[in-house]
Amino acid sequence: MKPLLELKLRIRNNPLLFRTFWTRHERPYWKRRVVRPGDAAVIEGYPRSANTFATYAFLESQEPGIKFGNHNHSPAQFLLARRYQIPAMLVLRNPLDAALSLMIFDGAMSAEEALLRYIAFHRPLLPIADSFVVAPFEEVTTDFGRSIERLNARFGTNFAPIHHDEAFAKTVIDQIAENRAKRIELYPHLLTANPLKTTTPTPEKEKRRKQLVAAFDHPSLDGLKATARGQYERLMARP
């Protein structure tokens, strides 16, 4: 791994450093939060794994003002949740789809770096996999209510059930779009209306996906792909 990337990931993945510095990234209209003692939950995952949908679906279905760690894409969230004894959910997507989606969103990231980031995110979670539930990407985007049921069953919580029908999904997606438009208005130096940087599918993203997918076929990536796939399968085997 490149030294600078390794340093960045070590800082981001360290619970003490993450807790100290990442609260500075919390801004109005960004639905992201570093978990604190007393929070209701943590819902977190590698980028492009339905983090945004899960966050907005949870906000839509639970009591107003609920506080939960989310959307920082750091395994430190789970280490802190374990320390604070807070229920936690890992949103999990298969490595090639997640890494490719991150490449599209970033615009300059290589397939190697996307896989390295995937591995670095999930590596610290394997030893503590008994402290969170896993919500597969496909479930989060089509039946998030099952994910909430599993969270309640595992931790004895009573989060409100979700009836994940077309109307609910549309409400969540509309809220995501509305909030993104507000962020672009408030922070034009940080965000653009680039269709490659949305959290929902677009024709432009699909076209770019077809252009980039072959990057993962290079033999030099075989080891990284195998490691990432192994992590995914071990985590998916958890309840």
Side-chain angles (χ1 to χ4, degrees):
M1 185 181 296
K2 296 177 181 178
L4 182 57
L5 175 58
E6 183 175 11
L7 177 61
K8 287 181 178 179
L9 293 177
R10 284 184 179 274
I11 293 173
R12 189 185 189 90
N13 296 353
N14 179 282
L16 177 60
L17 296 175
F18 172 77
R19 183 182 62 188
T20 302
F21 295 108
W22 254 254
T23 52
R24 301 176 184 180
H25 294 272
E26 297 176 344
R27 298 184 179 93
Y29 296 100
W30 254 272
K31 304 298 184 182
R32 69 168 58 134
R33 177 179 172 86
V34 175
V35 64
R36 276 88 154 167
D39 277 5
V42 162
I43 300 177
E44 188 64 85
Y46 178 83
R48 323 311 300 165
S49 299
N51 288 273
T52 300
F53 189 92
T55 294
Y56 280 78
F58 195 68
L59 287 168
E60 170 66 18
S61 59
Q62 306 306 311
E63 61 185 32
I66 190 169
K67 292 180 170 58
F68 62 106
N70 70 88
H71 237 146
N72 279 281
H73 311 305
S74 171
Q77 294 269 61
F78 294 96
L79 298 168
L80 291 172
R82 187 169 185 256
R83 180 181 302 173
Y84 302 151
Q85 298 185 334
I86 290 173
M89 175 189 293
L90 169 67
V91 291
L92 183 63
R93 190 176 188 182
N94 81 72
L96 293 190
D97 285 349
L100 177 56
S101 184
L102 183 58
M103 287 175 65
I104 294 169
F105 183 86
D106 181 83
M109 187 177 296
S110 68
E112 178 186 26
E113 180 175 338
L115 287 170
L116 285 169
R117 287 178 177 271
Y118 188 98
I119 292 166
F121 180 93
H122 295 98
R123 182 186 295 120
L125 302 185
L126 292 168
I128 62 166
D130 62 344
S131 64
F132 55 84
V133 299
V134 174
F137 174 88
E138 295 79 7
E139 179 180 272
V140 171
T141 55
T142 62
D143 191 2
F144 192 51
R146 289 184 62 189
S147 305
I148 296 300
E149 289 174 5
R150 196 158 54 256
L151 187 70
N152 283 336
R154 168 65 178 81
F155 293 100
T157 47
N158 58 350
F159 295 117
I162 295 174
H163 180 55
H164 191 147
D165 56 10
E166 289 185 7
F168 177 81
K170 184 180 185 304
T171 296
V172 171
I173 291 171
D174 287 349
Q175 288 182 354
I176 292 171
E178 180 181 340
N179 196 267
R180 177 172 173 76
K182 189 65 175 180
R183 295 200 309 270
I184 292 172
E185 178 185 338
L186 292 174
Y187 306 101
H189 59 295
L190 296 177
L191 288 170
T192 69
N194 187 338
L196 296 178
K197 293 185 178 292
T198 66
T199 58
T200 52
T202 65
E204 292 84 359
K205 288 169 68 174
E206 177 58 21
K207 179 180 179 180
R208 189 64 176 145
R209 186 192 70 79
K210 293 177 179 178
Q211 293 170 342
L212 292 177
V213 66
F216 291 92
D217 294 335
H218 198 281
S220 65
L221 299 180
D222 287 350
L224 293 177
K225 288 191 294 184
T227 299
R229 184 69 192 183
Q231 290 179 333
Y232 172 76
E233 291 177 352
R234 287 176 62 186
L235 288 166
M236 282 292 289
R238 298 293 306 178

